[in-house]
């Protein structure tokens, strides 16, 4: 009799252990790590986020760094990319491939803000938050002169367009340029003046011409009343946060402020940094990204 009681106790303990393990496994599945998807700006690639990625992964976050078409490790010639849809396809494909219930936080830097906006409109149910870091944040893209004034770098204080950029004319000199990249000797002065020299040196080795024709063709205007209603619904569904960069020489503070005023985000943070806080202020940028997650 005593042996049978002991056997029943042992089985109860084992069953309890199995239930505990099943419950623990269920909770672990529920507690999926927050997934950040980091989107670079023109001429850069996923490589520019290496400091932020390290900080995030060491803190338990999931991180994906996208290479847009013709950027980073993607070997497409940027002079052959004429549409914004084509340029942004790697990000769109990434979001389309996510499991049905998974959401991500999109973080766009500089012109990568255009990619984030486009992706948010196309996959609103996949995006829990859109973060713009010194980024082009335009509700409808490059539609008019005001959009260009606010969202495109203004280097008129330095010189003419050709004085600042190396320009590609793959379609002929009588056609609009197909690619641009800031001249090597100006990169640190404009993009990385507050960054460690090791980072600006690395960036100068890795930057590539960007598909300027694709970028200037970015349009997010909804078609008719239905399109406008869709945009309004997305804007209510996906909160936005803007991280300003106080000493930016590319997307200047006045431009950032103008975009924020025209399309107000949920919150605005300010970094005491240049245009490239992923190099110059990685800990502060990481802190703001974590703060943004906590506010969800």
């Amino acid at each position: 009799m005593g042996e049978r009681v002991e056997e029943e106790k042992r089985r109860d303990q084992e069953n309890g252990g199995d239930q505990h393990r099943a419950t623990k496994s269920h909770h672990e599945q529920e507690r999926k790590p927050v997934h950040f998807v980091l989107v670079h700006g023109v001429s850069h690639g996923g490589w520019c986020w290496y400091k932020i990625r390290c900080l995030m992964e060491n803190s338990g976050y999931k991180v994906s760094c996208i290479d847009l078409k013709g950027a980073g490790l993607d070997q497409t010639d940027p002079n052959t990319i004429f549409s914004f849809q084509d340029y942004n396809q790697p990000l769109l494909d990434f979001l389309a491939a996510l499991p049905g219930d998974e959401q991500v936080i999109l973080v766009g830097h500089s012109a990568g803000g255009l990619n984030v906006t486009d992706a948010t409109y196309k996959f609103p149910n996949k995006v829990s938050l859109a973060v713009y870091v010194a980024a082009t944040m335009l509700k409808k893209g490059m539609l008019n002169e005001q959009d260009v004034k606010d969202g495109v770098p203004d280097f008129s204080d330095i010189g003419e367009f050709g004085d600042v950029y190396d320009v590609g004319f793959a379609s002929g000199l009588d056609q609009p340029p197909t690619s641009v990249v800031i001249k090597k000797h100006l990169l640190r002065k404009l993009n990385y003046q507050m960054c460690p020299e090791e980072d600006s040196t690395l960036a100068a080795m890795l930057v590539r011409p960007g598909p300027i024709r694709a970028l200037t063709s970015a349009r997010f205007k909804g078609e008719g009343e239905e399109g406008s209603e869709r945009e309004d619904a997305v804007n209510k569904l996906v909160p936005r946060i803007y991280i300003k960069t106080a000493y930016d020489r590319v997307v200047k503070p006045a431009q950032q402020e103008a975009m924020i005023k025209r399309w107000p985000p949920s919150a605005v943070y300010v970094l005491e940094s240049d245009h490239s806080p992923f190099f110059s202020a990685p800990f502060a940028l990481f802190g703001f990204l974590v703060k943004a997650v906590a506010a969800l």
Side-chain angles (χ1 to χ4, degrees):
M1 182 72 176
E3 291 179 359
R4 188 167 61 187
V5 171
E6 289 300 321
E7 177 66 19
E8 289 177 354
K9 285 183 179 179
R10 183 180 64 80
R11 287 176 180 173
D12 288 343
Q13 288 172 352
E14 287 179 354
N15 290 336
D18 289 341
Q19 291 173 1
H20 174 73
R21 283 189 290 272
T23 302
K24 182 179 180 182
S25 176
H26 176 69
H27 288 319
E28 285 174 349
Q29 289 177 2
E30 287 183 340
R31 292 197 304 269
K32 292 178 180 178
V34 175
H35 187 177
F36 286 90
V37 177
L38 310 181
V39 185
H40 62 82
V42 66
S43 295
H44 290 65
W47 54 265
C48 70
W49 298 103
Y50 80 95
K51 289 183 176 180
I52 301 300
R53 180 170 191 161
C54 183
L55 289 169
M56 285 183 166
E57 289 183 339
N58 286 342
S59 298
Y61 296 104
K62 183 178 180 180
V63 186
S64 298
C65 299
I66 302 297
D67 282 331
L68 299 171
K69 194 164 186 178
L73 297 176
D74 185 295
Q75 291 305 302
T76 306
D77 181 353
N79 289 291
T80 65
I81 304 170
F82 296 148
S83 75
F84 187 78
Q85 173 77 21
D86 194 19
Y87 176 56
N88 203 27
Q89 199 61 48
L91 176 59
L92 302 180
D93 289 345
F94 179 89
L95 293 175
L98 289 172
D101 62 343
E102 182 171 351
Q103 286 191 313
V104 300
I105 295 174
L106 287 183
V107 182
H109 172 251
S110 196
L114 293 168
N115 302 86
V116 166
T117 301
D118 180 46
T120 301
Y121 281 141
K122 288 183 168 72
F123 293 94
N125 294 323
K126 298 283 189 181
V127 182
S128 61
L129 177 68
V131 182
Y132 296 77
V133 182
T136 306
M137 186 179 68
L138 300 170
K139 185 176 183 179
K140 297 181 181 294
M142 297 290 184
L143 281 183
N144 53 48
E145 291 183 5
Q146 189 63 50
D147 294 325
V148 172
K149 180 180 179 182
D150 295 341
V152 175
D154 177 13
F155 297 130
S156 57
D157 55 331
I158 295 177
E160 299 294 327
F161 192 80
D163 297 327
V164 178
Y165 294 101
D166 287 325
V167 186
F169 290 92
S171 300
L173 293 175
D174 60 336
Q175 297 296 317
T178 50
S179 68
V180 297
V181 63
I182 293 176
K183 291 179 179 293
K184 295 283 188 184
H185 71 278
L186 291 173
L187 275 172
R188 180 164 179 83
K189 178 180 180 180
L190 297 177
N191 283 52
Y192 316 115
Q193 80 269 18
M194 298 173 70
C195 299
E197 286 194 27
E198 298 93 330
D199 289 323
S200 60
T201 300
L202 176 67
M205 296 168 64
L206 295 176
V207 293
R208 296 171 57 190
I212 186 63
R213 196 176 295 185
L215 286 162
T216 55
S217 71
R219 304 283 189 279
F220 315 129
K221 185 177 181 180
E223 297 180 2
E225 184 177 343
E226 183 179 342
S228 296
E229 289 177 355
R230 178 182 60 83
E231 287 178 358
D232 291 340
V234 171
N235 291 329
K236 292 177 181 177
L237 181 65
V238 182
R240 286 172 295 109
I241 287 176
Y242 199 97
I243 300 179
K244 296 171 62 177
T245 40
Y247 303 106
D248 201 314
R249 296 175 179 174
V250 179
V251 183
K252 296 174 181 174
Q255 292 177 289
Q256 297 180 34
E257 193 58 46
M259 289 186 285
I260 290 168
K261 185 175 181 180
R262 291 176 63 198
W263 193 24
S266 306
V268 178
Y269 306 141
V270 183
L271 279 172
E272 300 292 315
S273 79
D274 55 13
H275 185 61
S276 305
F278 40 69
F279 290 157
S280 61
F283 290 100
L285 175 55
F286 171 65
F288 279 147
L289 293 174
V290 172
K291 182 178 179 180
V293 172
L296 286 176

